């Protein structure tokens, strides 16, 4: 969901490394918490009719209200438009779906995969967007915000999707040779600072697999 940029607007790009997080405040006073391996492109000043920024990865926003100048978060699968609100966006290109979760206020989400169909969310609603579908659902808790406290929370998540998150966060390649693991689901919490092997060892308690780690090639193989 890219668009033409005003030639007068000067943009900064902030890239967060693996295993890192960052807090910043934009020129309008809006607050942004950026997750690991995320990239935010934002203007030095919001001079136009809208406050547009570009996100790859995960971020939590507390947007300063301005009815005259909507705030727009643009991603490759969806654009989120707000005036003032609190919401989380997960938009990692390596993952199969993007999610916008509304904590407070209201947002309007336009989905690229659905001919830019627009969905209006209410608090405690989230929209899950893949290349082929858009689905609105309720969330009962805010565990998805636990990344801000350095915690992974997996809620009935496919092991293959967990692996993608571990690869992103720990900047490591993980190959799954045990094909039976592809359909396994897992629910649990992990402290991110404990490391990738700590997560794998806990997963091993539930599912029978072994793994080998090649530090030189930065590779983990699950068998």
């Amino acid at each position: 969901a890219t668009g033409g940029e005003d030639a007068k607007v000067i943009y900064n790009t902030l890239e967060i490394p693996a295993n890192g997080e960052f807090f910043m405040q934009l020129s309008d006073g809006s607050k942004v918490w950026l997750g690991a391996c995320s990239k935010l492109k934002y203007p030095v000043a919001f001079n136009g009719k809208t406050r547009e920024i570009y996100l790859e990865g995960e971020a939590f926003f507390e947007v300063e209200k301005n009815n005259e100048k909507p705030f727009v978060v643009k991603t490759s699968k969806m654009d989120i438009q707000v005036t003032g609100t609190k919401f989380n966006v997960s938009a990692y290109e390596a993952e199969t779906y993007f999610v916008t979760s509304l904590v407070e206020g209201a947002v309007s989400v336009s989905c690229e995969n659905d001919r830019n169909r627009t969905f209006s969310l209410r608090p405690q609603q989230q929209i899950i967007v893949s290349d082929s579908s858009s689905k609105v659902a309720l969330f009962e808790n805010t565990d998805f915000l636990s990344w801000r406290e350095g915690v992974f929370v997996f809620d009935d998540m496919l092991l293959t999707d967990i692996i993608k998150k571990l690869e992103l966060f720990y900047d490591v390649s993980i190959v799954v040779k045990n094909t039976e693991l592809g359909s396994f689901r897992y629910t649990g919490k992990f402290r991110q600072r404990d490391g990738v092997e700590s997560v794998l060892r806990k997963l091993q308690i539930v599912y029978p697999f072994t793994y080998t780690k090649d530090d030189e090639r930065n590779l983990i193989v699950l068998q």
Side-chain angles (χ1 to χ4, degrees):
T2 57
E5 294 175 13
D6 189 335
K8 298 177 183 177
V9 179
I10 300 171
Y11 281 87
N12 289 329
T13 299
L14 178 64
E15 296 191 45
I16 310 304
N19 205 2
E21 287 150 15
F22 190 79
F23 167 77
M24 67 176 300
Q25 196 158 349
L26 300 172
S27 62
D28 67 335
S30 294
K31 299 173 182 176
V32 185
W33 287 260
L34 283 164
C37 299
S38 298
K39 178 160 58 171
L40 187 73
K41 184 179 176 184
Y42 61 97
V44 174
F46 293 111
N47 296 322
K49 295 180 179 179
T50 60
R51 295 173 283 167
E52 289 189 0
I53 63 173
Y54 301 81
L55 173 69
E56 294 177 25
E58 186 156 26
F60 180 80
F61 296 91
E62 289 187 5
V63 176
E64 284 291 314
K65 190 167 185 177
N66 184 340
N67 291 328
E68 305 301 318
K69 189 177 289 193
F71 189 95
V72 181
V73 180
K74 302 180 81 70
T75 78
S76 65
K77 284 189 176 70
M78 59 186 176
D79 293 347
I80 306 105
Q81 180 169 315
V82 306
T83 52
T85 187
K86 296 179 182 180
F87 61 103
N88 194 79
V89 180
S90 181
Y92 286 108
E93 294 293 343
E95 297 188 326
T96 54
Y97 50 85
F98 289 9
V99 183
T100 295
S101 306
L102 181 61
V103 176
E104 182 181 298
V107 301
S108 176
V109 181
S110 174
C111 300
E112 286 259 318
N113 68 353
D114 210 352
R115 298 181 181 179
N116 289 321
R117 181 182 174 191
T118 298
F119 297 81
S120 297
L121 299 188
R122 298 188 302 274
Q124 286 193 290
Q125 284 187 325
Q126 59 185 192
I127 184 167
I128 303 162
V129 180
S130 69
D131 287 335
S132 59
S133 67
S134 307
K135 178 185 176 184
V136 176
L138 287 170
F139 59 84
E140 295 181 356
N141 58 60
T142 54
D143 281 348
F144 57 85
L145 295 179
S146 61
W147 64 267
R148 294 171 58 191
E149 280 75 52
V151 176
F152 289 125
V153 176
F154 304 134
D155 183 9
D156 193 32
M157 184 179 288
L158 278 170
L159 197 62
T160 49
D161 289 331
I162 292 174
I163 293 299
K164 289 176 186 175
K165 283 193 175 293
L166 297 180
E167 285 186 307
L168 271 169
F169 190 84
Y170 294 110
D171 192 24
V172 63
S173 296
I174 302 176
V175 175
V176 181
K177 289 194 172 180
N178 183 346
T179 55
E180 292 182 2
L181 296 176
S183 60
F184 287 165
R185 293 182 173 273
Y186 187 84
T187 297
K189 297 183 180 182
F190 305 92
R191 290 179 303 186
Q192 294 169 350
R193 68 173 183 268
D194 288 346
V196 64
E197 289 192 78
S198 174
V199 178
L200 292 175
R201 284 193 294 268
K202 289 173 183 174
L203 291 173
Q204 281 179 310
I205 297 171
V206 182
Y207 301 120
F209 67 85
T210 60
Y211 71 88
T212 56
K213 191 165 184 282
D214 186 335
D215 290 326
E216 191 171 311
R217 297 169 61 196
N218 195 30
L219 175 68
I220 296 174
V221 178
L222 274 59
Q223 297 165 328

